[in-house]
Amino acid sequence: MAFGDMFSVGSGAANQQIRVEPIQQRSAARLSALLDAAAEVVDEIGFDRITTAMVAERAGASIGTVYRYYPDRVAVLNALRDRADQRFRERVILELDISEPETWWDALDCAITAYVGLHRSEPGFRIMSFVDRERASFGEDVDGGFFATRLAHVLAEEFGLPGGPDLIFRLEVALEMADGIITRAFYSDPQGDERFIDESRRVVHDYLVGYYGPSASLSAPQSSRPANPLALLAD
């Protein structure tokens, strides 16, 4: 299992709901502008109240332009969530490249760092959730949380944690706690209250250490491991 497998996803429901696949550069730019507008509205009022009319108005487009790509508000939110997910995975890869994790905790900490960073810099990122709560609320079938499931495979195969349903469940619990605490960190501070962010790391670390012990280095000798963790993405 490569680290990149943790972030690989197929076509999401949002992509399946796009009415017209943007082929030309102008169409792609228009679609991006609609999602940028949706992200701004989400930051202002939350995703529960957003409407396609709001997206159209914010983007300076007609409601027909929105419906050309998305049949309803749920499709818009799914597409925004998919974009946030893609950018999150790209940020995690960047964090892995920078930090070169040696332990299961190092790898998990990269994900938390990426999550916090995008909360600070990515408009509309509140649509994102470690455990796919938004997807579940949109009526999609989420089994154990995509991120927790993929992360469990990576931590088991690359760092030697005992895999299986128990690891997936405990990761989901840990990431639920982290997600809640990090959300609280950004409740009134656009840069996030560092006290809550630090506490989210401690809570996740201590909870998992209680089951799996201190995070030890990879069992493979240094000479047999890739010099750069991004090499694992090519598997």
Side-chain angles (χ1 to χ4, degrees), residues 1-6 107 149-160:
M1 176 72 66
F3 282 131
D5 293 337
M6 178 171 61
T149 300
R150 293 292 182 166
L151 182 57
H153 291 315
V154 171
L155 297 187
E157 297 196 18
E158 302 295 340
F159 296 96

Side-chain angles (χ1 to χ4, degrees), residues 55-78:
V55 174
E57 181 179 3
R58 181 61 57 92
S62 68
I63 192 68
T65 298
V66 178
Y67 285 133
R68 179 185 178 191
Y69 298 106
Y70 302 108
D72 52 37
R73 62 180 292 277
V74 173
V76 173
L77 290 173
N78 268 323

Side-chain angles (χ1 to χ4, degrees), residues 89-154:
R89 290 183 282 123
E90 291 170 353
R91 181 67 70 90
V92 174
I93 291 172
L94 177 63
E95 294 295 335
L96 288 169
D97 188 28
I98 293 171
S99 65
E100 299 186 1
E102 295 287 336
T103 70
W104 62 261
W105 169 247
D106 293 338
L108 183 53
D109 193 51
C110 284
I112 295 175
T113 297
Y115 195 63
V116 170
L118 285 172
H119 264 287
R120 289 172 172 158
S121 63
E122 178 73 12
F125 194 70
R126 68 176 63 189
I127 198 72
M128 178 67 178
S129 172
F130 268 131
V131 291
D132 286 19
R133 280 197 303 272
E134 284 82 10
R135 282 198 184 281
S137 70
F138 295 152
E140 293 187 42
D141 202 9
V142 178
D143 183 12
F146 174 84
F147 189 87
T149 300
R150 293 292 182 166
L151 182 57
H153 291 315
V154 171

Side-chain angles (χ1 to χ4, degrees), residues 14-21 66-72:
N15 292 332
Q16 295 170 7
Q17 292 180 15
I18 295 178
R19 290 188 185 276
V20 179
E21 187 70 23
V66 178
Y67 285 133
R68 179 185 178 191
Y69 298 106
Y70 302 108
D72 52 37

